[in-house]
Amino acid sequence: MDVPACQGCQTLQRRLAEVEAQVERLTGLLEKQRRAGKRQAAPFSKGEPKDNPKKNGRKPGSAYGAKGHRPPPEHIDETHEAPLPDACPDCGGPIDETQVEQQFQVEIPRKPIHRQFNIHVGCCRQCQRRVQGRHPLQTSDALGAAASQLGPDAQAAVVELNKQAGLSHGKVTRVLNRLFGINLSRGGSAHTVLRTAQRCQPLYAELCTTMAQSEWVVLDETGWRLGGHSAWLHTIVGPHETVYVVDPTRSGAVAERILGTDYDGIMIHDGWSPYDGFFKALHQQCLAHLLRRAHELLETATRGAVHFPRRILAILQSALGLRDRHEAGAISSHGLAIARGRLTKRLGNLLWANKTNPANERFAQHLWNHRDQLFTFLTVPGLDATNWRGEHAIRWGVILRKVWGGNRTQRGAQAQSVLMSIWRTCWQRGVSALDWLSQRLRGSCHPLPQPP
């Protein structure tokens, strides 16, 4: 193709080539995002594998030996002998025993325990009220047609398989039948979950009350399904408890209902605008979201538009570096305060500068609106700079959603919120939720374990 002699035409040709290259690059990125969104691993895919990945298996180090074998059990329930054969299997000669070695094995009991409770029933001589006895292993006082029930461990296992492992009610019934010979219908599995959630409802309300008194909270939300319609799974993570709420809307009313509009602690979140309504709280914007947004701008920026996201990346990464140096003792609190002031000034000068790229201008406006919420972690020792705790807690719900989609009824959604909150809180407090729930099902007053 001949090069035009006109200077203006040459400029237009170069500009056209740049635009065509940009369109081709953006089209490729769009197709890549569409394909990624359809994969089952999304949105937690780690992307393309590394060119030089580390070798699979355990890594060498001081802790290798402790993890390299299963320790012997502290208690032995059965002892079996493995005697020598009568003769050598190779030549048929006699064998002299030289020593006895031990091997250990852990096994699961496959035979279910069938219990019968002889309920003693009586009548009060004074008020004529009917009274019946109760054994500590009972989970219900029902008699007659409802007298045959699952035990507390079995009921807790149903909840564990459904809410923690993500198995559907049909798969839960197959697991119980094939492993333990326990027959249970899908409806029985669903009712077990609902009744268990009803038992835990007072403790869920207690968690919500405790959450409102937390010194800091981390908030996040993700899409959910309720009766086939779009809904949202909200999570609020505190130092020692987590509260989940399935709600038809994504509004900030959920956080207001749990925390109260006068919450005066610290809120760590991804910058969603409804959280700005908590005027008495200190806010920390998630720096990981801001860094990700700056990287996305760099993917599509051309020419001079790349300077703004690069400088934002440098400022945010400098802030994280300051935190690490302060925690390592390399910089004093006074030095940290001075450096924080300089970073704030650098950011303000950068945001005030003229920008010709609309995407950069939108990002700058967001940063300006939340400029007082970017470096809170540099003023509060130990505060997280990202909302990773919220994303870590919400990931559990994302996995469950991909397995069986959500909840069919509002009652099921409430049970989902209650049991997920109980399970996550027990994990935070270092207690087995399975064991705790089994005890809870035996008595109505078994409280949640206290924080360590």
Side-chain angles (χ1 to χ4, degrees):
M1 181 177 180
D2 296 335
V3 179
C6 176
Q7 185 68 28
C9 294
Q10 293 179 4
T11 303
L12 290 176
Q13 286 283 24
R14 288 194 299 269
R15 181 58 181 161
L16 178 60
E18 292 176 358
V19 171
E20 289 178 346
Q22 183 179 12
V23 169
E24 183 178 357
R25 184 173 66 256
L26 293 178
T27 302
L29 289 173
L30 179 60
E31 290 300 322
K32 182 179 179 180
Q33 292 297 324
R34 286 178 175 174
R35 290 192 301 269
K38 295 179 181 180
R39 290 196 298 266
Q40 289 297 315
F44 297 107
S45 173
K46 295 183 179 180
E48 297 296 328
K50 297 180 180 179
D51 295 332
N52 298 310
K54 294 182 179 180
K55 184 179 178 181
N56 293 333
R58 299 187 185 95
K59 306 301 184 289
S62 58
Y64 178 85
K67 299 180 181 178
H69 67 280
R70 181 187 299 276
E74 297 180 357
H75 175 72
I76 302 298
D77 298 300
E78 298 178 0
T79 301
H80 300 276
E81 299 294 331
L84 289 168
D86 296 334
C88 176
D90 291 335
C91 66
I95 301 175
D96 295 327
E97 183 173 305
T98 58
Q99 60 185 8
V100 178
E101 297 287 347
Q102 282 80 38
Q103 184 189 83
F104 304 95
Q105 186 182 89
V106 59
E107 183 61 283
I108 59 173
R110 296 278 304 275
K111 183 178 180 181
I113 301 174
H114 297 275
R115 300 188 180 110
Q116 174 180 317
F117 298 97
N118 296 320
I119 310 298
H120 295 260
V121 181
C123 180
C124 177
R125 295 179 181 177
Q126 183 172 339
C127 64
Q128 303 302 311
R129 179 183 176 181
R130 181 183 180 279
V131 181
Q132 70 180 53
R134 181 176 177 121
H135 191 275
L137 289 176
Q138 285 182 258
T139 62
S140 170
D141 292 328
L143 300 175
S148 184
Q149 306 166 4
L150 291 177
D153 288 342
Q155 291 188 41
V158 169
V159 179
E160 169 83 14
L161 292 172
N162 178 246
K163 299 305 180 191
Q164 175 65 27
L167 272 64
S168 64
H169 290 296
K171 291 182 178 179
V172 169
T173 60
R174 287 196 290 273
V175 167
L176 292 180
N177 181 265
R178 293 175 183 176
L179 290 183
F180 309 107
I182 299 177
N183 293 322
L184 181 69
S185 65
R186 293 175 59 188
S189 175
H191 282 294
T192 297
V193 171
L194 294 176
R195 286 195 299 268
T196 303
Q198 187 176 4
R199 290 278 186 93
C200 298
Q201 181 64 42
L203 298 178
Y204 178 72
E206 179 183 324
L207 286 180
C208 295
T209 302
T210 305
M211 186 66 71
Q213 302 168 0
S214 299
E215 57 180 336
W216 55 261
V217 294
V218 187
L219 306 101
D220 203 0
E221 62 285 326
T222 188
W224 198 253
R225 302 292 289 179
L226 178 54
H229 300 285
S230 296
W232 290 88
L233 176 66
H234 299 254
T235 180
I236 306 177
V237 182
H240 305 293
E241 53 276 326
T242 298
V243 171
Y244 292 89
V245 180
V246 176
D247 193 83
T249 68
R250 196 192 176 189
S251 71
V254 173
E256 293 177 1
R257 187 166 66 247
I258 301 297
L259 300 175
T261 55
D262 57 348
Y263 177 74
D264 57 358
I266 304 174
M267 302 180 69
I268 308 172
H269 51 82
D270 56 8
W272 189 40
S273 58
Y275 297 143
D276 294 333
F278 291 84
F279 300 108
K280 294 184 179 181
L282 279 177
H283 294 263
Q284 171 59 59
Q285 290 271 319
C286 174
L287 261 61
H289 281 76
L290 301 178
L291 290 169
R292 192 180 306 125
R293 185 169 176 180
H295 281 294
E296 291 173 353
L297 289 176
L298 280 176
E299 290 181 351
T300 58
T302 59
R303 305 173 71 179
V306 302
H307 298 306
F308 177 74
R310 284 177 181 173
R311 291 170 181 169
I312 291 297
L313 285 173
I315 291 175
L316 297 181
Q317 290 167 351
S318 296
L320 295 174
L322 278 174
R323 176 201 58 185
D324 297 339
R325 290 170 58 196
H326 178 65
E327 291 179 352
I331 182 174
S332 65
S333 298
H334 179 68
L336 178 66
I338 295 175
R340 183 180 66 247
R342 291 174 179 172
L343 276 180
T344 303
K345 185 176 180 180
R346 281 177 56 191
L347 179 64
N349 293 337
L350 180 60
L351 297 180
W352 268 107
N354 293 329
K355 289 166 284 294
T356 58
N357 185 284
N360 287 348
E361 181 60 34
R362 287 192 296 271
F363 189 28
Q365 187 63 51
H366 173 82
L367 294 173
W368 177 258
N369 293 338
H370 301 90
R371 62 191 181 278
D372 296 331
Q373 304 175 3
L374 302 181
F375 303 135
T376 307
F377 71 100
L378 294 179
T379 63
V380 181
L383 186 67
D384 293 331
T386 68
N387 71 334
W388 69 271
R389 298 179 190 272
E391 291 195 346
H392 193 264
I394 211 73
R395 181 172 184 170
W396 178 19
V398 173
I399 295 172
L400 294 180
R401 182 189 65 202
K402 286 185 174 294
V403 175
W404 35 260
N407 303 110
R408 292 187 178 182
T409 64
Q410 182 59 47
R411 187 183 178 192
Q414 180 64 19
Q416 186 77 34
S417 305
V418 171
L419 295 175
M420 286 183 68
S421 302
I422 296 294
W423 239 252
R424 187 74 181 184
T425 299
C426 285
W427 174 81
Q428 285 179 270
R429 299 181 180 183
V431 176
S432 169
L434 189 67
D435 296 338
W436 176 86
L437 185 59
S438 176
Q439 294 297 323
R440 175 72 182 182
L441 290 169
R442 304 177 195 191
S444 58
C445 298
H446 193 68
L448 271 172
Q450 294 302 311

mmCIF file of all heavy atoms in Angstrom, residues 21 37 45 47 54 159 165 277 301 317-318 325 380 402 408 436 443:
data_model
loop_
_atom_site.group_PDB
_atom_site.id
_atom_site.type_symbol
_atom_site.label_atom_id
_atom_site.label_comp_id
_atom_site.label_asym_id
_atom_site.label_seq_id
_atom_site.Cartn_x
_atom_site.Cartn_y
_atom_site.Cartn_z
ATOM 1 N N ALA A 21 -5.621 -1.878 16.140
ATOM 2 C CA ALA A 21 -4.894 -2.753 17.063
ATOM 3 C C ALA A 21 -5.572 -2.790 18.431
ATOM 4 O O ALA A 21 -5.671 -3.839 19.069
ATOM 5 C CB ALA A 21 -3.446 -2.272 17.195
ATOM 6 N N GLY A 37 -16.071 -16.829 32.236
ATOM 7 C CA GLY A 37 -17.308 -16.780 33.012
ATOM 8 C C GLY A 37 -18.133 -18.049 32.920
ATOM 9 O O GLY A 37 -18.953 -18.325 33.788
ATOM 10 N N SER A 45 -10.898 -18.816 39.500
ATOM 11 C CA SER A 45 -9.831 -19.375 38.693
ATOM 12 C C SER A 45 -8.539 -18.595 38.912
ATOM 13 O O SER A 45 -8.539 -17.375 39.021
ATOM 14 C CB SER A 45 -10.209 -19.334 37.207
ATOM 15 O OG SER A 45 -9.118 -19.726 36.399
ATOM 16 N N GLY A 47 -6.196 -18.398 36.773
ATOM 17 C CA GLY A 47 -5.645 -17.962 35.504
ATOM 18 C C GLY A 47 -4.738 -19.006 34.883
ATOM 19 O O GLY A 47 -4.785 -20.194 35.215
ATOM 20 N N LYS A 54 6.289 -24.906 40.902
ATOM 21 C CA LYS A 54 7.011 -25.696 41.886
ATOM 22 C C LYS A 54 6.640 -27.171 41.752
ATOM 23 O O LYS A 54 5.568 -27.521 41.265
ATOM 24 C CB LYS A 54 6.691 -25.212 43.304
ATOM 25 C CG LYS A 54 7.203 -23.814 43.598
ATOM 26 C CD LYS A 54 6.889 -23.427 45.040
ATOM 27 C CE LYS A 54 7.417 -22.036 45.350
ATOM 28 N NZ LYS A 54 7.117 -21.651 46.751
ATOM 29 N N VAL A 159 -26.827 -32.330 58.351
ATOM 30 C CA VAL A 159 -26.567 -30.895 58.173
ATOM 31 C C VAL A 159 -25.149 -30.677 57.640
ATOM 32 O O VAL A 159 -24.926 -29.849 56.756
ATOM 33 C CB VAL A 159 -26.776 -30.138 59.497
ATOM 34 C CG1 VAL A 159 -26.481 -28.662 59.327
ATOM 35 C CG2 VAL A 159 -28.200 -30.335 59.998
ATOM 36 N N ALA A 165 -20.544 -29.834 53.120
ATOM 37 C CA ALA A 165 -19.995 -30.552 51.970
ATOM 38 C C ALA A 165 -20.703 -30.197 50.671
ATOM 39 O O ALA A 165 -20.183 -30.474 49.592
ATOM 40 C CB ALA A 165 -20.069 -32.058 52.209
ATOM 41 N N GLY A 277 -23.290 4.929 54.032
ATOM 42 C CA GLY A 277 -24.340 5.461 54.898
ATOM 43 C C GLY A 277 -24.057 5.292 56.376
ATOM 44 O O GLY A 277 -24.770 5.876 57.208
ATOM 45 N N ALA A 301 -5.502 0.555 28.337
ATOM 46 C CA ALA A 301 -5.000 1.929 28.151
ATOM 47 C C ALA A 301 -3.939 1.971 27.048
ATOM 48 O O ALA A 301 -3.202 0.998 26.826
ATOM 49 C CB ALA A 301 -4.420 2.458 29.455
ATOM 50 N N GLN A 317 0.790 0.320 46.426
ATOM 51 C CA GLN A 317 1.821 -0.640 46.811
ATOM 52 C C GLN A 317 2.797 -0.042 47.819
ATOM 53 O O GLN A 317 3.296 -0.744 48.703
ATOM 54 C CB GLN A 317 2.548 -1.143 45.571
ATOM 55 C CG GLN A 317 1.683 -2.045 44.696
ATOM 56 C CD GLN A 317 2.277 -2.301 43.327
ATOM 57 O OE1 GLN A 317 3.269 -1.674 42.942
ATOM 58 N NE2 GLN A 317 1.667 -3.210 42.574
ATOM 59 N N SER A 318 3.056 1.250 47.714
ATOM 60 C CA SER A 318 3.897 1.919 48.715
ATOM 61 C C SER A 318 3.226 1.904 50.090
ATOM 62 O O SER A 318 3.897 1.728 51.120
ATOM 63 C CB SER A 318 4.172 3.355 48.282
ATOM 64 O OG SER A 318 4.916 3.396 47.086
ATOM 65 N N ARG A 325 6.774 -2.665 56.682
ATOM 66 C CA ARG A 325 7.982 -2.166 57.350
ATOM 67 C C ARG A 325 7.689 -1.783 58.804
ATOM 68 O O ARG A 325 8.507 -2.009 59.697
ATOM 69 C CB ARG A 325 8.528 -0.967 56.586
ATOM 70 C CG ARG A 325 9.127 -1.320 55.224
ATOM 71 C CD ARG A 325 9.428 -0.059 54.432
ATOM 72 N NE ARG A 325 10.346 0.814 55.152
ATOM 73 C CZ ARG A 325 10.531 2.095 54.847
ATOM 74 N NH1 ARG A 325 9.836 2.653 53.854
ATOM 75 N NH2 ARG A 325 11.393 2.819 55.544
ATOM 76 N N VAL A 380 -4.625 2.360 62.163
ATOM 77 C CA VAL A 380 -5.094 1.389 63.151
ATOM 78 C C VAL A 380 -4.185 0.171 63.072
ATOM 79 O O VAL A 380 -4.223 -0.572 62.091
ATOM 80 C CB VAL A 380 -6.560 0.984 62.890
ATOM 81 C CG1 VAL A 380 -7.027 -0.012 63.948
ATOM 82 C CG2 VAL A 380 -7.459 2.212 62.874
ATOM 83 N N LYS A 402 -22.994 -23.101 43.197
ATOM 84 C CA LYS A 402 -22.686 -23.802 41.958
ATOM 85 C C LYS A 402 -23.127 -25.255 42.003
ATOM 86 O O LYS A 402 -23.361 -25.870 40.974
ATOM 87 C CB LYS A 402 -21.181 -23.712 41.668
ATOM 88 C CG LYS A 402 -20.737 -22.332 41.178
ATOM 89 C CD LYS A 402 -19.276 -22.348 40.794
ATOM 90 C CE LYS A 402 -18.890 -21.009 40.175
ATOM 91 N NZ LYS A 402 -19.569 -20.786 38.881
ATOM 92 N N ARG A 408 -35.087 -22.982 47.634
ATOM 93 C CA ARG A 408 -36.400 -22.968 46.966
ATOM 94 C C ARG A 408 -37.411 -22.099 47.703
ATOM 95 O O ARG A 408 -38.293 -21.523 47.088
ATOM 96 C CB ARG A 408 -36.941 -24.395 46.855
ATOM 97 C CG ARG A 408 -36.150 -25.290 45.909
ATOM 98 C CD ARG A 408 -36.839 -26.630 45.730
ATOM 99 N NE ARG A 408 -36.134 -27.488 44.787
ATOM 100 C CZ ARG A 408 -36.541 -28.696 44.410
ATOM 101 N NH1 ARG A 408 -37.661 -29.193 44.928
ATOM 102 N NH2 ARG A 408 -35.846 -29.408 43.545
ATOM 103 N N TRP A 436 -20.589 -29.869 68.246
ATOM 104 C CA TRP A 436 -21.409 -28.901 68.987
ATOM 105 C C TRP A 436 -22.880 -29.064 68.646
ATOM 106 O O TRP A 436 -23.740 -29.042 69.536
ATOM 107 C CB TRP A 436 -20.966 -27.475 68.646
ATOM 108 C CG TRP A 436 -21.833 -26.453 69.309
ATOM 109 C CD1 TRP A 436 -21.700 -25.941 70.555
ATOM 110 C CD2 TRP A 436 -23.020 -25.870 68.757
ATOM 111 N NE1 TRP A 436 -22.721 -25.060 70.823
ATOM 112 C CE2 TRP A 436 -23.550 -25.000 69.735
ATOM 113 C CE3 TRP A 436 -23.679 -25.990 67.533
ATOM 114 C CZ2 TRP A 436 -24.703 -24.256 69.529
ATOM 115 C CZ3 TRP A 436 -24.842 -25.255 67.334
ATOM 116 C CH2 TRP A 436 -25.333 -24.402 68.317
ATOM 117 N N GLY A 443 -30.208 -30.988 73.861
ATOM 118 C CA GLY A 443 -30.752 -30.100 74.882
ATOM 119 C C GLY A 443 -30.956 -28.712 74.323
ATOM 120 O O GLY A 443 -30.183 -28.230 73.499
#
